[in-house]
Amino acid sequence: MTNGAWSGPPERHAQAHQPPQLPPPMVPVAVPQQATIDGYYSSRAEGMQQLVFPTTMSRDGRIAWVFGLLSVLGLPFLSLVAPGVTMTVLGLLQRRKNPVAAVGRNVALFGAINVAVCAIFLIVLAGSSAVYEGGVTLDNNPLLLILFAFPVGAYIVAIGPILNIVLAIVALVRPVSPARAAKILAGRNSS
């Protein structure tokens, strides 16, 4: 027939309106991963436990390094103290998240050193200014200025903020690789 009506036997009519048969679903070889409390995944296959870590910035400890970008503020002490305090606090908080983010202690240490350098600089210069009438000059204490004030001042004004910015950029573009995360996790499980 030419009007669009079915002209075949009724069994063929029922077959023509059925959806196409799909092949049977494949059975996965590995057991699906299940999330654990401390942020990494465990997959159990044949009695062995494989730990796989999701490398996101907030889960692998890089977020604390990124706050080094606060050094862009450009004010001599603030551009080292603000990121230093932030990196110290976030590094200590990240350390508790999971074994891979435990490298946050390095961030916390770096931030604390930056804050300590600024504090020691101010204490030494304020103390020595109180001792010398009219402040510290090259005439009354050249060693303090040449060996301490100039190098530490250069670190506070230029070297420290640039170092913070460079380390923040490195943390942004270089995530923790799965191989390094596995190495950190394997070291934690063996001890």
Side-chain angles (χ1 to χ4, degrees), residues 53-135:
F53 185 77
T55 56
T56 61
M57 191 176 305
S58 64
R59 301 299 298 163
D60 65 6
R62 290 183 296 152
I63 193 75
W65 284 111
V66 172
F67 277 91
L69 289 175
L70 286 173
S71 291
V72 176
L73 293 172
L75 300 173
F77 286 96
L78 190 59
S79 65
L80 206 57
V81 172
V85 169
T86 309
M87 292 164 68
T88 302
V89 170
L90 283 176
L92 292 174
L93 291 175
Q94 288 284 319
R95 187 178 61 156
R96 297 181 191 140
K97 277 195 169 187
N98 56 57
V100 176
V103 298
R105 68 180 172 273
N106 298 339
V107 184
L109 181 63
F110 183 71
I113 288 172
N114 283 340
V115 172
V117 164
C118 288
I120 290 170
F121 183 77
L122 290 176
I123 290 169
V124 167
L125 287 185
S128 61
S129 292
V131 170
Y132 296 105
E133 188 176 315

Side-chain angles (χ1 to χ4, degrees), residues 77 117 120-122 124-126 128-129 136-138 141-157:
F77 286 96
V117 164
I120 290 170
F121 183 77
L122 290 176
V124 167
L125 287 185
S128 61
S129 292
V136 180
T137 63
L138 279 174
N141 198 343
L143 290 178
L144 178 67
L145 288 176
I146 293 172
L147 297 179
F148 178 75
F150 293 151
V152 175
Y155 179 81
I156 290 172
V157 172

Side-chain angles (χ1 to χ4, degrees), residues 39-56:
Y40 54 94
Y41 295 95
S42 72
S43 173
R44 300 177 194 273
E46 300 175 16
M48 297 186 67
Q49 184 177 17
Q50 175 188 10
L51 298 172
V52 180
F53 185 77
T55 56
T56 61

Side-chain angles (χ1 to χ4, degrees), residues 4-19:
W6 180 258
S7 64
E11 10 348 291
R12 287 191 60 199
H13 177 68
Q15 289 175 355
H17 287 73
Q18 290 180 352

